[in-house]
Amino acid sequence: MGALASVALLLPLLSAAPPAGADVPEAGVLQGQFARAAERQGVPVSVLLAVSYLQSRWDTHGGAPSVTGGYGPMHLTDAVTALARTAPHHSEGEEDSRGDSSRPVRTGGDAPVPAPAEPPERLRTLERASALSGIPAEELRTVPAANIEGGAALLAAAQREAGLPASADPADWYGAVARYSGADDSATAATYADDVFDVIRTGETRTTDSGQVVTLTAAPAVAPATGQVADLGLRRPAAGPVECPASVACEWVPAPYEEFGDGDYGNHDKANRPASQSIDYIVIHDTEADWNTTLKLVQDPTYVSWQYSLRSSDGHIAQHVPLKDVAWHAGNWFVNAKSVGLEHEGFLTSPDSWYTEAMYRTSARLVRYLAGRYGIPLDRQHILGHDNVPGTVASTIKNMHTDPGPYWDWAHYFRLLGRPITPSAGPHAGVVTVRPDYSSHQPVYTGCVTAGQACVPHGSGAVRLHTAPSADAPLVKDIGLRPGGQDSTTGVNDTGARASTGQSFAVAERRGDWTAVWYLGQKAWFSNPVKEPTAVNARGLVLTPREGLAEVPVYGRAYPEASAYPAGVPVQSVSPLPYKLLAGQRYVVGGRTPGEYYFAPVFDPSGHTVVRGQEEYYQIQFGHRVAFVKAADVRVSRA
């Protein structure tokens, strides 16, 4: 399975450039800037374009830095200037990342945050580009043409330092491209270079965030000199029992399974998945910390854990917890026991920050590998954001985390997964799937820096939900987040009136440019103009209360009935959330699951037990977060 998956994942995940003879969109100014910089620095223009695509997809981001302090189309890094954030999101809020009442609450809030270290060389390339090109640092950060020139200068210098001529043949630049990645290990550098040459072979045409059309013509015959990476003097990744596809660079950085007194231990649980329990979900997080801090925290036995961390600058992956074991990452023990957690280096409340294409691509490959290995559907009912995981009971809802947030590009991610979000039904469909145009859809969020203050405008994959078909109507309320009935807000961390790309909802009504869906037990409207749609029509199964029931309870976890628990295992309450699914309302079904509970309160895994009952549940898209209803309470039909 792994070998077959590897071959499949090496196939292009990008839309191909136009074939010979086809109409090609008119090139913008940016195209000429790439050509001139390549000529001046003696770098093949295809190499320069492909490296830039893998870093930024040729976007300028208005001069804003990436999550790792990279600027402009060439992602020239200046972490000292860009990054002043060190506190990880796991220490913010009060979410119990383990999410199981059989163990002490584990928020990670008491874990010491490591002091920031001197940024590594890969996060300081802008300074060197300035020295090589003679262009001031500020211009490299803010002027696209200067940024491209600086990146070309870095590539040319890498070629010279390798003792290689400034060849016109792109195939001769493999080592220089690998060096440009900034990776300190040979596997990551080679994976990065492989991706760059994949872009060269397949080609690409794209309109950037500044409205510029850039084209890289496909050159399928290019066969790079891959042996050059061996001469770069890079380390080998740490050996260990990594579980990754062959098409990514992955190393073993283990999370500790240790006792530390009074029966307490951390930072994950031993298990025997999938023999003991199926793995049904992959949960996408962002770290709210830099790479070094992230690795130090996951190696702290008193902290929380996740299976994989992904580095933004080059897509490097570190695995921490074996897939058979249960990491403490999602804040919901039912989800933890049946999921894999991926932490992406990044910052939710830095809206002008951005992730590199290199990280999106390696993350997508890892998810495809995991989905194929465990039979996980590639849809938004099973590929969840941390912000889509429900609170376990009413009291935990307000403390659930909200990453990766409204700026994660789910549409692009699912294109890379090979599952683009496209219409599957006609204009009168009973289901819609949210999918605004990420770049042009820029709703105002607040609170990124100061409460109530507008965030920097940025593309978003999320839509707002109102009580009526008007932008002036109040936002719908989330009585779980605000039991007092206060309105939802535009806060960047407020998920009370938000639906994200890929999430599917049952249609309640259509009126002009507005569509209403059933959401948290109420009718919720979002702007969906025919000329600029923010959702696509879709097929799907929906459920509603069975005949004779006016309402049914909604749950945050799918636990067994009391009679299923053996002696010695405390019965876990099946406590409903404060919402109601009312007669006449419909919600999209994500799957059917048996009630299960993984009893693992002690260090010795021989005392762990999976409790499985007769009660079955349906997972539904109930609000921004998923939820569960008992199968016996509902009737399922095709929308």
Side-chain angles (χ1 to χ4, degrees):
M1 180 67 187
L4 291 174
S6 301
V7 172
L9 292 173
L10 286 170
L11 295 175
L13 293 174
L14 308 170
S15 58
D23 291 335
V24 177
E26 183 179 352
V29 173
L30 204 60
Q31 183 91 44
Q33 292 170 344
F34 277 107
R36 287 188 291 275
E39 182 178 5
R40 281 193 292 265
Q41 296 295 335
V43 178
V45 68
S46 62
V47 170
L48 188 61
L49 281 165
V51 166
S52 177
Y53 186 89
L54 201 65
Q55 295 286 22
S56 68
R57 300 175 73 213
W58 303 322
D59 286 338
T60 63
H61 296 279
S66 75
V67 297
T68 51
Y71 291 85
M74 297 304 298
H75 196 254
L76 302 180
T77 53
D78 183 3
V80 174
T81 298
L83 303 178
R85 300 156 294 221
T86 58
H89 82 272
H90 300 285
S91 65
E92 299 172 6
E94 297 299 326
E95 179 191 86
D96 174 9
S97 292
R98 194 174 192 275
D100 175 26
S101 59
S102 74
R103 295 274 303 132
V105 171
R106 183 58 54 84
T107 67
D110 296 330
V113 177
E118 178 71 16
E121 185 178 346
R122 64 183 171 83
L123 299 184
R124 293 180 289 136
T125 62
L126 190 141
E127 179 182 349
R128 185 156 190 260
S130 179
L132 288 167
S133 66
I135 301 173
E138 183 60 22
E139 286 188 35
L140 292 174
R141 293 189 199 101
T142 59
V143 180
N147 186 274
I148 294 166
E149 187 82 28
L154 286 175
L155 281 166
Q159 188 78 344
R160 289 194 302 271
E161 289 161 7
L164 298 172
S167 170
D169 185 352
D172 296 332
W173 287 76
Y174 186 89
V177 169
R179 176 69 76 186
Y180 192 95
S181 72
D184 64 351
D185 72 275
S186 57
T188 303
T191 299
Y192 178 92
D194 287 343
D195 277 349
V196 167
F197 279 89
D198 187 41
V199 175
I200 291 173
R201 283 189 292 265
T202 61
E204 178 60 66
T205 291
R206 183 170 183 268
T207 301
T208 72
D209 62 355
S210 59
Q212 299 284 309
V213 175
V214 179
T215 297
L216 170 56
T217 303
V222 172
T226 57
Q228 291 177 354
V229 76
D231 299 325
L232 298 180
L234 302 175
R235 69 175 179 88
R236 285 190 164 195
V242 293
E243 299 162 287
C244 293
S247 57
V248 303
C250 193
E251 69 176 321
W252 181 244
V253 182
Y257 188 66
E258 297 178 6
E259 289 185 289
F260 44 86
D262 298 325
D264 204 0
Y265 68 94
N267 58 15
H268 58 282
D269 277 296
K270 297 294 184 184
N272 188 31
R273 305 185 306 173
S276 58
Q277 286 185 282
S278 61
I279 298 176
D280 297 337
Y281 307 104
I282 298 169
V283 182
I284 304 300
H285 306 254
D286 76 56
T287 62
E288 297 298 316
D290 63 30
W291 181 253
N292 290 337
T293 300
T294 298
L295 295 190
K296 288 176 181 176
L297 287 168
V298 80
Q299 294 175 88
D300 183 342
T302 68
Y303 200 57
V304 296
S305 62
W306 47 92
Q307 272 82 9
Y308 298 93
S309 296
L310 292 97
R311 191 163 65 198
S312 185
S313 61
D314 54 17
H316 177 70
I317 299 172
Q319 184 177 359
H320 313 296
V321 176
L323 292 171
K324 71 179 183 64
D325 295 335
V326 177
W328 303 349
H329 63 97
N332 182 314
W333 185 240
F334 178 81
V335 174
N336 279 343
K338 299 175 74 65
S339 70
V340 175
L342 277 61
E343 287 277 2
H344 297 77
E345 183 183 17
F347 303 90
L348 185 160
T349 57
S350 296
D352 52 348
S353 295
W354 45 280
Y355 298 109
T356 66
E357 178 69 1
M359 188 185 71
Y360 270 125
R361 286 170 66 106
T362 57
S363 179
R365 287 181 177 141
L366 177 59
V367 167
R368 284 191 62 177
Y369 162 80
L370 295 169
R373 178 169 173 171
Y374 296 112
I376 303 170
L378 288 172
D379 58 39
R380 287 284 276 117
Q381 287 81 21
H382 298 87
I383 312 300
L384 303 174
H386 194 172
D387 53 351
N388 307 136
V389 176
T392 52
V393 294
S395 61
T396 65
I397 292 173
K398 65 181 184 302
N399 292 323
M400 296 299 289
H401 286 160
T402 60
D403 57 297
Y407 304 120
W408 179 264
D409 193 345
W410 286 108
H412 180 55
Y413 196 54
F414 269 78
R415 283 193 294 272
L416 293 175
L417 286 172
R419 295 291 189 275
I421 300 165
T422 57
S424 59
H428 305 295
V431 170
V432 290
T433 299
V434 176
R435 196 205 64 183
D437 179 76
Y438 180 86
S439 297
S440 62
H441 181 67
Q442 299 189 1
V444 175
Y445 292 99
T446 58
C448 292
V449 178
T450 303
Q453 180 177 317
C455 303
V456 176
H458 193 281
S460 172
V463 298
R464 290 239 169 77
L465 298 166
H466 297 261
T467 56
S470 168
D472 296 327
L475 298 175
V476 296
K477 296 179 180 181
D478 184 336
I479 61 171
L481 279 176
R482 297 179 176 84
Q486 300 92 332
D487 289 340
S488 297
T489 72
T490 59
V492 70
N493 286 303
D494 189 343
T495 61
R498 183 184 299 171
S500 288
T501 291
Q503 292 182 326
S504 296
F505 297 88
V507 175
E509 188 179 346
R510 298 178 190 263
R511 195 182 302 175
D513 286 341
W514 288 79
T515 299
V517 296
W518 296 113
Y519 182 96
L520 295 179
Q522 62 201 302
K523 187 181 287 189
W525 294 86
F526 66 97
S527 177
N528 187 24
V530 174
K531 292 185 178 180
E532 295 182 49
T534 56
V536 298
N537 294 304
R539 300 178 186 273
L541 296 177
V542 297
L543 57 72
T544 192
R546 66 176 174 81
E547 191 172 351
L549 294 180
E551 60 183 42
V552 300
V554 178
Y555 303 92
R557 52 193 180 185
Y559 276 177
E561 65 278 10
S563 60
Y565 289 81
V569 178
V571 174
Q572 301 297 303
S573 63
V574 184
S575 176
L577 301 177
Y579 314 105
K580 298 292 184 183
L581 196 166
L582 304 176
Q585 297 182 358
R586 301 179 304 281
Y587 293 87
V588 173
V589 176
R592 186 164 177 152
T593 184
E596 289 184 349
Y597 173 62
Y598 184 41
F599 181 61
V602 294
F603 180 76
D604 183 358
S606 66
H608 297 178
T609 301
V610 176
V611 181
R612 190 171 288 112
Q614 298 299 311
E615 189 84 73
E616 292 193 323
Y617 294 79
Y618 285 110
Q619 177 192 318
I620 58 173
Q621 188 66 60
F622 189 61
H624 185 72
R625 301 181 188 272
V626 300
F628 301 92
V629 293
K630 291 182 178 180
D633 288 342
V634 297
R635 175 175 55 86
V636 177
S637 62
R638 184 164 296 280

